[in-house]
Amino acid sequence: MAETFHVAVETLTSAVRPVETGGEVAARATALRPVTRDGAAGTFFLETFGCQMNDHDSEKVAGVLISRGYQQVEKPADASVILYNTCSIREKAAQKVFSRLGEFRGSPDERKIIGVLGCVAQQEGEDIFKRAPWVSLVCGSASYRKLPEMLERLEAGDRRVTGLDNDTDETFETEVTRRDNPFRAFLTIIEGCDKACAYCVVPFTRGPERSRGSDSVLREVRELAERGYSEVQLLGQTVNSYADPTHRKMKFSELLLAVAAVPGIRRVRYTTSHPRDFSADIVAAMDAEPKLCEHVHLPVQSGSNEILRAMARTYSREEYLEKIAMIRGARREISITTDVIVGFPGETEKEFQETLSLLREVRYDALFAFKYSPRPNTPSLALHDPIPEEEKSRRLADLQAVQRQIQSARHQTMVGSTMEVLVSGKSRRENRWSGHASSNRVLNFTSSAADLLGTYANVRVTDAGPASLIGEHVL
Ligand code: SAH
Ligand code: SF4
Ligand code: F3S
C-alpha cells in the first residue's frame, strides 16, 4: 500500500471540516470525566506514520479518546497523553518514532502518558520500554478496542501497559471514529496479510488475514453516506483477497458493487490489490458500475522473474502482464499505479533493467519506488545484501527518471479533456482549488465559484506536469 498520496502543489491547503466531532461525540464527551494522572483536563496528541490503514486506525484511536472526554491538541507540550502511531515497513520509517521518543530523554514528565501504537509497537513489543523507559503504553493495531481500559489503568497509576495480541478482529468496529478527511472516508475491510513476501514485516505487525463481515461493511457505508460522504475507500494490505466471513460469502467484486449501490455513494475506491488475487470479475464489476473509480493500484515490486521468485511474490512477470492486459481491456481507461523495490538482495543490473523495461511496457500512471530495506523477522533478512547504498540510490533515481517521462507524456495526452473532480482543497491564492479525478489524478484548477469544497466539478485540463494536471472549471 502506498504510504503517501502524491499531492502535487504544496500551497494548497486541504480544509478539514470536523465531520464527526459534533453532535453525538461532543455530548458523550461532556458526559464523561476527562481524567489524567494529575487530575487536569485530559488532552491528547497523536502523530501518525505509514500507510492509509494507519491513518484510518488513528481516526479510530482519536474517536476512542474523544469519547472518553479527551480533547485533541496540536503540540505534545500541551498534551497529557502523547501517542505515536508507527510504521515499520522500512528501517527509516521505524527510526522516526525512536527519534520522536528521544525528544523526551532526560526530562520525562511523570504526569504525561507516552504511548507507542501501530506496527513498531507490535513488532518491538516490550523492548520499547527498554529503549525508552519513559514510555508507558505499547499497543498494536489489533488491540485498539482495549485502549479505554488500558488508559484507565494508566490513569489509575499503572506504570506500564501493553496490548500485543494480533489475531483478533476487534479493530473493525469502534463506537466512534473521528474521521480527518471530510471528503473521502477510509474503511478497513480486511486486516493483516497471509502472503509472506520475503522482505515484508506486515504479516508480523498486523497478523494473519481477517476479513470484516459484508453486513458490517455495508452498515458503515450507509452511515457514512447519511453523514454526507460520497466517496469511500476500502482498505486492506491485500484488499482483493477479501473473504466474507458471513453466510452471504460475498466475493470482493460483489462487495464493491454493493457498496456502490448504497444511496448517496458516488465513488468507491479500493487499495491495495495483490496481483495474484486480481481476477476478471473485478474488471467486470468496474465495467458494470461507473461509481467504481477508474484506478487500480497493483504493486509489481520487480520486473524480473528471478527477483519475483526470491521475493516470494507468487506471480511471474508474464502472469502480472496478463492482469495488466485484463485491466487495459476494460471499457473505460483505467489508471494503473504500482510499487517497486530496487536493490533486493542479489538484484543484478540485468534484473534491474527488466524492471525498467516493465515500466516502459506498462506505462504506469504513478510509481512508488523504494530502496530495499532489511527488516526484522523477514525471510530475506538472512540473504546476503551486497548491493551498496549508492547503487540502490542510482537505481532508484534511474527508475524515477523513466517514470517521470512516462507520466509527463501520459499527462500531455489529457490536455483538452474534461474530468470530474471531487474538490478537496482550496489554495490561499484566490480562485484556486484542487481535487482528485476518478483516476485519482490530482487536478489544480481555477474557478470563480464561491465555495466548491466537497462538490463535484467538471474541470477542463489546460496544462500538465509529471505529478499533476492544471485546469479550469467548466461552469
Ligand atoms: N500490501 C502491499 C504493500 C504493502 S507495503 C503489496 O502487497 O503490495 C508498501 C510497499 O512498501 C510495498 O509495496 C513495497 O514496495 C514496499 N516495501 C515493503 N517492504 C519493504 C522493504 N523491506 N524494503 C523496501 N520497501 C519495502
Ligand atoms: Fe507485505 Fe506482501 Fe503482504 Fe503486501 S502482500 S503486505 S508486500 S507480505
Ligand atoms: Fe502500514 Fe507501515 Fe504498518 S505501511 S501496515 S503502517 S508497517
Side-chain angles (χ1 to χ4, degrees):
M1 175 168 305
E3 281 163 87
T4 46
F5 271 167
H6 278 314
V7 176
V9 179
E10 265 96 75
T11 54
L12 291 169
T13 51
S14 167
V16 176
R17 263 187 276 143
V19 175
E20 287 168 79
T21 48
E24 190 200 356
V25 181
R28 293 209 289 127
T30 48
L32 279 158
R33 177 179 53 107
V35 269
T36 65
R37 276 180 173 167
D38 62 357
T43 48
F44 71 99
F45 168 83
L46 173 58
E47 185 176 1
T48 308
F49 306 95
C51 61
Q52 287 109 323
M53 292 189 79
N54 251 22
D55 287 339
H56 184 40
D57 284 346
S58 283
E59 295 177 335
K60 295 182 194 173
V61 169
V64 167
L65 285 152
I66 289 167
S67 63
R68 275 190 61 73
Y70 283 90
Q71 274 190 343
Q72 191 160 9
V73 293
E74 288 184 6
K75 291 195 293 251
D78 299 334
S80 54
V81 177
I82 299 167
L83 299 173
Y84 297 105
N85 189 4
T86 60
C87 172
S88 175
I89 201 80
R90 284 168 293 277
E91 173 72 20
K92 257 196 196 148
Q95 278 315 324
K96 274 190 195 147
V97 64
F98 290 107
S99 75
R100 291 290 192 279
L101 292 175
E103 289 166 21
F104 301 96
R105 187 188 302 278
S107 60
D109 182 340
E110 290 289 314
R111 289 160 307 167
K112 288 191 194 287
I113 293 170
I114 300 178
V116 178
L117 313 177
C119 291
V120 175
Q122 192 67 47
Q123 183 181 285
E124 303 285 328
E126 303 198 352
D127 284 354
I128 293 176
F129 296 135
K130 287 190 205 134
R131 275 182 80 169
W134 50 93
V135 169
S136 45
L137 170 70
V138 172
C139 179
S141 65
S143 305
Y144 293 155
R145 278 283 291 278
K146 295 190 201 125
L147 268 178
E149 181 196 317
M150 291 188 223
L151 284 168
E152 232 160 74
R153 283 168 51 200
L154 289 165
E155 287 154 359
D158 272 17
R159 182 74 190 87
R160 279 176 182 159
V161 176
T162 55
L164 293 168
D165 298 338
N166 78 353
D167 57 356
T168 67
D169 58 2
E170 286 196 325
T171 34
F172 288 131
E173 296 191 43
T174 31
E175 264 179 75
V176 181
T177 302
R178 200 289 326 270
R179 286 189 157 79
D180 290 319
N181 186 328
F183 310 110
R184 182 183 291 187
F186 292 136
L187 210 82
T188 298
I189 65 161
I190 172 169
E191 257 298 349
C193 181
D194 282 348
K195 296 287 188 288
C197 301
Y199 50 81
C200 185
V201 287
V202 172
F204 307 98
T205 63
R206 286 189 174 264
E209 258 171 38
R210 290 101 64 202
S211 292
R212 175 176 177 180
S214 54
D215 46 356
S216 153
V217 173
L218 291 166
R219 193 180 327 120
E220 190 169 357
V221 173
R222 281 192 291 272
E223 280 169 22
L224 289 166
E226 276 161 23
R227 286 207 178 100
Y229 279 102
S230 62
E231 181 172 309
V232 292
Q233 180 160 356
L234 309 182
L235 299 179
Q237 286 297 349
T238 52
V239 73
N240 58 326
S241 308
Y242 178 78
D244 185 5
T246 72
H247 71 277
R248 296 170 81 181
K249 300 232 172 309
M250 272 191 167
K251 293 208 296 200
F252 175 63
S253 57
E254 291 169 336
L255 182 67
L256 286 178
L257 291 170
V259 169
V262 170
I265 295 300
R266 279 179 70 163
R267 282 182 170 184
V268 183
R269 302 183 183 278
Y270 55 93
T271 198
T272 295
S273 296
H274 191 283
R276 197 189 68 190
D277 297 335
F278 200 87
S279 44
D281 55 312
I282 302 174
V283 178
M286 292 171 88
D287 271 342
E289 176 53 90
K291 288 181 193 170
L292 302 183
C293 287
E294 49 204 52
H295 174 214
V296 178
H297 184 60
L298 201 67
V300 67
Q301 312 301 358
S302 168
S304 146
N305 277 331
E306 286 69 31
I307 296 297
L308 286 172
R309 208 170 308 120
M311 286 176 165
R313 279 295 283 182
T314 71
Y315 53 82
S316 64
R317 175 187 175 113
E318 293 71 28
E319 284 163 341
Y320 180 88
L321 287 171
E322 277 169 26
K323 308 281 176 170
I324 296 291
M326 211 163 78
I327 300 168
R328 294 269 184 248
R331 277 190 229 126
R332 281 179 288 168
E333 195 190 331
I334 292 176
S335 152
I336 307 176
T337 56
T338 203
D339 295 348
V340 164
I341 296 175
V342 296
F344 186 79
E347 184 189 62
T348 62
E349 178 61 25
K350 182 174 155 287
E351 287 160 349
F352 168 65
Q353 291 295 331
E354 284 169 0
T355 300
L356 284 182
S357 89
L358 184 98
L359 289 198
R360 293 196 179 95
E361 190 168 341
V362 177
R363 297 177 65 74
Y364 290 105
D365 294 276
L367 163 74
F368 300 86
F370 311 99
K371 288 189 265 185
Y372 170 74
S373 169
R375 305 303 297 129
N377 303 321
T378 60
S380 66
L381 188 63
L383 299 175
H384 183 46
D385 181 16
I387 305 173
E389 198 54 27
E390 312 81 74
E391 177 58 18
K392 289 182 189 168
S393 301
R394 199 270 300 165
R395 291 182 190 177
L396 186 69
D398 283 5
L399 206 66
Q400 283 166 339
V402 167
Q403 179 60 23
R404 222 176 350 263
Q405 281 177 355
I406 293 169
Q407 267 174 234
S408 293
R410 277 186 77 70
H411 284 174
Q412 277 307 321
T413 67
M414 290 162 199
V415 173
S417 66
T418 298
M419 298 179 184
E420 190 186 58
V421 169
L422 171 52
V423 186
S424 54
K426 182 181 183 348
S427 167
R428 267 170 250 125
R429 282 195 286 163
E430 194 77 350
N431 300 335
R432 287 178 187 251
W433 307 82
S434 73
H436 290 84
S438 167
S439 64
N440 215 27
R441 278 192 192 86
V442 175
L443 273 99
N444 298 306
F445 66 99
T446 51
S447 171
S448 54
D451 187 10
L452 287 174
L453 282 180
T455 66
Y456 289 82
N458 284 322
V459 175
R460 201 174 63 84
V461 180
T462 54
D463 201 359
S468 66
L469 301 173
I470 312 288
E472 59 192 17
H473 191 187
V474 186
L475 287 161

